[in-house]
Amino acid sequence: MSESQPASELSHEPENEESASVSKKAAKKEAAKLEKLRRRQEQEAAAAAARAQSAEPEDPLASYYGDVPLLELQSMTIADVKDWTEVGALSEALKDQKVLIRGRAQTIRAVGKNMAFIVVREKGFTVQCVATVQPEIVSRQMVKYVAALSRESIIDIEGVVSVPDVAIKGATQQVEIQVRKLYCISKAAVLPINIEDAARSEAEIDKALQAGEQLVRVNQDTRLNFRVLDLRTPANQGIFRIQSQVGTIFRQFLLSKGFFEIHSPKLIAGSSEGGASVFKLDYKGQPACLAQSPQLHKQMSICGDFGRIFEIGPVFRAEDSYTHRHLCEFTGLDLEMEIKRHYSEVMDVVDRLFVTMFDNLNKNCEKELEAVRRQYPFEPLKYLPETLRLTFEEGVQMLKDAGVEVDPMGDLNTEAERKLGQIVLEKYGTEFYILHRYPLAVRPFYTMPCYDNPAYSNSFDVFIRGEEIISGAQRVHVPEFLAERAEACGIEVKTISTYIDSFRYGAPPHGGFGVGLERVVMLFCGLNNIRKTSLFPRDPLRLAP
């Protein structure tokens, strides 16, 4: 038994060791689990303590600032808008007065925990506002809220106007608003481009480079991709307010001269200008295209005894032109009028209309022009009280005298137009002039030939800074001759039969012109690309935004 007993004891040893091993593993596992729980509880306790430590007491002035809830933005109450002041109207005359403004938070800068500066922009004008901690007026929490605002958010500020002892360099208005209340109407997301970068001039960027600094240059494609932001720059605010004035003056001047406004269709059966550069489409199973101009219908309106008419509307050109001055869609300013004796009557209207327009822009758009000039420097347009008129032959001769050879019976190319503009400026002191009696071969089919030489036509172009902006002429109003001219220009007569037929019932001699709104503004402001004066440009490569 003594030999077997140890054997029995040995047989139980492995079983006891295995059991002990399992027990140790379980204990370690449980201990690790408890340790993990303890650590998590410690972390949560530490976080809670940190929150409690950082938590600020409830702000008794909390109603003086914050995000405006959606319910209030849904016109919950009838607002009193009489007390609102535009940023551009803020001046020293309002010193110590309480004002209420709305604008975008252009820049925000905190100065410690007790002060924050914010520059507010509205319609291109800016004002510096400051929130400073003051008992029972502005709390530290309010300053913290102001400092955390995102740039370009729309905010309302109520405050008192003060006049600093030194000039304010970072704002257009030379007053400061001491913030009393501030509410965020709409929070802005992270900006893909900064407005300050988009508003810089090339001169400013080049100067910084020379000083060893690097400033962001926002290229044209990026600007157009984020056009909504680009439009917020002071220069663009100026450009499109000037553009609005051009349209307004055009309308008001012509109304005062007995013209009235029409609205012609933009869906037509065939080309209105000749050639193949039209946007074709299917119109309920019929071939159609977008109108290249209101030409045909404004002439038909004259046949309807309207006498003098004009139109402001979209024009579509399907040309693959990738130049600085061409678009696939632009705004046309068109005019048509009866002629009593001579097509110079139309040029007389051009003369008075544009001299009036230029005078008006220079007088009434000084702030807008200066805003454009700060980013895109340009010299004021030089023009005469009575617009210079030259014949095409005279223009060709002036070019030849300057050593520029051009086809005397062809059209002038861009280079020749610019050169002629330089010559005219040097000789006559004007950048705005009329060139008339163009060769008939380079004009549309509906252009009337000259009585004394059918190789020329009763037509004209108008130039600003060496670039053509207006094309005009006396029209052919004899139906048989009109059909003949259309065929000669490769136009299928049946596609414009209703147009030609409108002259069969008696049509007065008439003429007119068309001008691109965007091109007028571009050249008046000395800009280098028409896309700068088109709100949302449409060219061969761009259909959005």
Side-chain angles (χ1 to χ4, degrees):
M1 290 292 295
S2 60
E3 293 180 356
S4 64
Q5 190 173 356
S8 176
E9 287 174 327
L10 290 173
S11 67
H12 283 82
E13 274 184 14
E15 184 177 339
N16 290 339
E17 289 176 359
E18 183 178 353
S19 177
S21 176
V22 170
S23 178
K24 287 179 181 178
K25 287 181 180 178
K28 286 182 179 179
K29 189 175 182 180
E30 184 64 22
K33 189 175 181 181
L34 291 171
E35 179 64 15
K36 187 176 181 180
L37 178 62
R38 184 185 65 80
R39 288 178 183 173
R40 188 171 65 193
Q41 289 174 341
E42 286 181 351
Q43 289 172 352
E44 289 175 351
R51 286 195 299 271
Q53 188 175 2
S54 63
E56 296 176 343
E58 184 178 346
D59 187 1
L61 304 177
S63 62
Y64 289 1
Y65 63 93
D67 298 348
V68 178
L70 176 61
L71 190 64
E72 289 189 28
L73 298 175
Q74 292 176 295
S75 299
M76 183 179 72
T77 58
I78 298 175
D80 180 6
V81 298
K82 291 184 296 184
D83 297 327
W84 290 82
T85 303
E86 290 196 351
V87 169
L90 293 170
S91 66
E92 295 182 8
L94 297 174
K95 183 181 179 181
D96 297 329
Q97 293 188 31
K98 185 181 290 185
V99 295
L100 178 60
I101 65 170
R102 172 173 291 178
R104 291 190 181 275
Q106 179 168 291
T107 57
I108 305 107
R109 179 171 59 90
V111 181
K113 295 182 179 180
N114 296 327
M115 182 182 291
F117 288 91
I118 181 166
V119 173
V120 176
R121 187 186 72 251
E122 182 191 29
K123 298 177 183 176
F125 297 100
T126 53
V127 64
Q128 181 171 278
C129 306
V130 58
T132 307
V133 173
Q134 300 178 56
E136 300 182 2
I137 298 176
V138 176
S139 66
R140 179 173 286 185
Q141 293 96 317
M142 180 176 179
V143 171
K144 183 179 180 181
Y145 174 82
V146 172
L149 285 167
S150 55
R151 298 171 73 178
E152 292 300 296
S153 293
I154 298 176
I155 57 175
D156 289 349
I157 289 180
E158 183 180 303
V160 177
V161 177
S162 63
V163 181
D165 295 331
V166 295
I168 300 174
K169 295 181 179 180
T172 61
Q173 309 309 109
Q174 293 305 301
V175 296
E176 194 172 71
I177 295 181
Q178 306 301 318
V179 177
R180 296 294 179 262
K181 296 179 182 180
L182 186 151
Y183 304 100
C184 184
I185 302 300
S186 175
K187 283 187 176 180
V190 177
L191 303 177
I193 60 173
N194 287 324
I195 308 304
E196 290 86 350
D197 293 336
R200 287 195 185 100
S201 68
E202 286 297 314
E204 186 181 353
I205 295 172
D206 291 341
K207 184 178 179 180
L209 286 173
Q210 291 172 4
E213 301 175 15
Q214 184 135 10
L215 297 177
V216 174
R217 176 185 273 110
V218 184
N219 65 39
Q220 183 168 270
D221 281 341
T222 302
R223 290 176 182 276
L224 296 181
N225 289 340
F226 302 104
R227 188 60 159 163
V228 169
L229 292 177
D230 185 44
L231 291 174
R232 297 178 189 177
T233 65
N236 277 325
Q237 291 290 308
I239 286 169
F240 289 100
R241 282 174 168 75
I242 291 168
Q243 186 182 94
S244 175
Q245 278 297 302
V246 170
T248 298
I249 298 163
F250 182 84
R251 177 179 281 110
Q252 290 178 343
F253 177 88
L254 294 178
L255 289 173
S256 73
K257 300 300 179 182
F259 289 78
F260 70 93
E261 188 170 7
I262 64 166
H263 301 283
S264 64
K266 305 309 167 196
L267 289 170
I268 61 176
S271 169
S272 53
E273 294 285 349
S277 57
V278 295
F279 287 105
K280 297 180 180 179
L281 53 89
D282 177 82
Y283 186 76
K284 301 294 185 180
Q286 302 177 61
C289 62
L290 295 175
Q292 293 168 296
S293 82
Q295 184 59 47
L296 310 187
H297 292 91
K298 65 179 184 176
Q299 285 188 255
M300 292 166 71
S301 298
I302 295 298
C303 292
D305 289 346
F306 282 3
R308 291 185 155 201
I309 54 93
F310 69 92
E311 179 171 6
I312 301 175
V315 175
F316 304 92
R317 301 286 170 88
E319 299 167 342
D320 289 329
S321 296
Y322 300 88
T323 74
H324 73 285
R325 63 177 187 172
H326 287 95
L327 292 170
C328 290
E329 179 184 354
F330 62 89
T331 303
L333 307 177
D334 280 87
L335 171 154
E336 204 73 18
M337 57 183 278
E338 289 186 11
I339 291 173
K340 299 303 182 184
R341 294 196 178 278
H342 196 274
Y343 75 97
S344 61
E345 296 166 32
V346 184
M347 291 190 285
D348 292 341
V349 174
V350 172
D351 172 19
R352 291 299 88 210
L353 167 61
F354 279 87
V355 169
T356 300
M357 182 182 294
F358 299 152
D359 287 346
N360 190 295
L361 293 176
N362 286 327
K363 179 181 178 181
N364 299 322
C365 295
E366 290 181 358
K367 289 183 178 180
E368 290 80 3
L369 289 167
E370 180 54 34
V372 177
R373 194 176 286 114
R374 280 197 301 270
Q375 183 167 3
Y376 306 112
F378 68 95
E379 292 295 323
L381 181 70
K382 296 179 176 64
Y383 60 97
L384 302 174
E386 186 174 336
T387 304
L388 174 69
R389 301 181 195 184
L390 300 169
T391 66
F392 185 83
E393 291 174 284
E394 288 173 328
V396 168
Q397 188 59 52
M398 291 169 70
L399 286 168
K400 285 184 177 181
D401 293 343
V404 180
E405 289 298 324
V406 295
D407 181 357
M409 300 308 293
D411 206 353
L412 298 181
N413 59 30
T414 301
E415 185 179 347
E417 288 178 349
R418 287 178 178 168
K419 182 62 179 176
L420 183 58
Q422 292 174 2
I423 297 170
V424 169
L425 176 59
E426 292 170 3
K427 186 173 182 178
Y428 297 100
T430 181
E431 296 174 290
F432 178 73
Y433 70 97
I434 300 172
L435 195 65
H436 65 109
R437 276 182 65 103
Y438 269 73
L440 183 64
V442 301
R443 307 304 283 195
F445 74 95
Y446 47 75
T447 306
M448 182 69 80
C450 284
Y451 77 96
D452 58 341
N453 188 342
Y456 289 92
S457 62
N458 293 348
S459 65
F460 61 90
D461 279 357
V462 182
F463 296 85
I464 294 180
R465 301 187 196 269
E467 295 195 37
E468 178 257 317
I469 62 157
I470 295 177
S471 185
Q474 179 181 356
R475 322 301 189 183
V476 175
H477 64 282
V478 179
E480 294 78 16
F481 187 34
L482 188 59
E484 180 184 322
R485 287 284 302 136
E487 288 181 350
C489 291
I491 296 174
E492 198 171 348
V493 175
K494 68 179 181 180
T495 64
I496 57 170
S497 59
T498 54
Y499 163 66
I500 295 176
D501 287 346
S502 66
F503 299 100
R504 299 189 189 282
Y505 312 112
H510 60 280
F513 65 83
V515 53
L517 172 63
E518 294 83 355
R519 196 175 289 189
V520 171
V521 178
M522 176 186 78
L523 294 171
F524 183 80
C525 293
L527 299 169
N528 63 358
N529 198 299
I530 198 168
R531 289 156 188 81
K532 286 184 170 71
T533 58
S534 176
L535 194 63
F536 294 98
R538 294 292 179 259
D539 60 30
L541 298 177
R542 183 171 290 278
L543 193 56

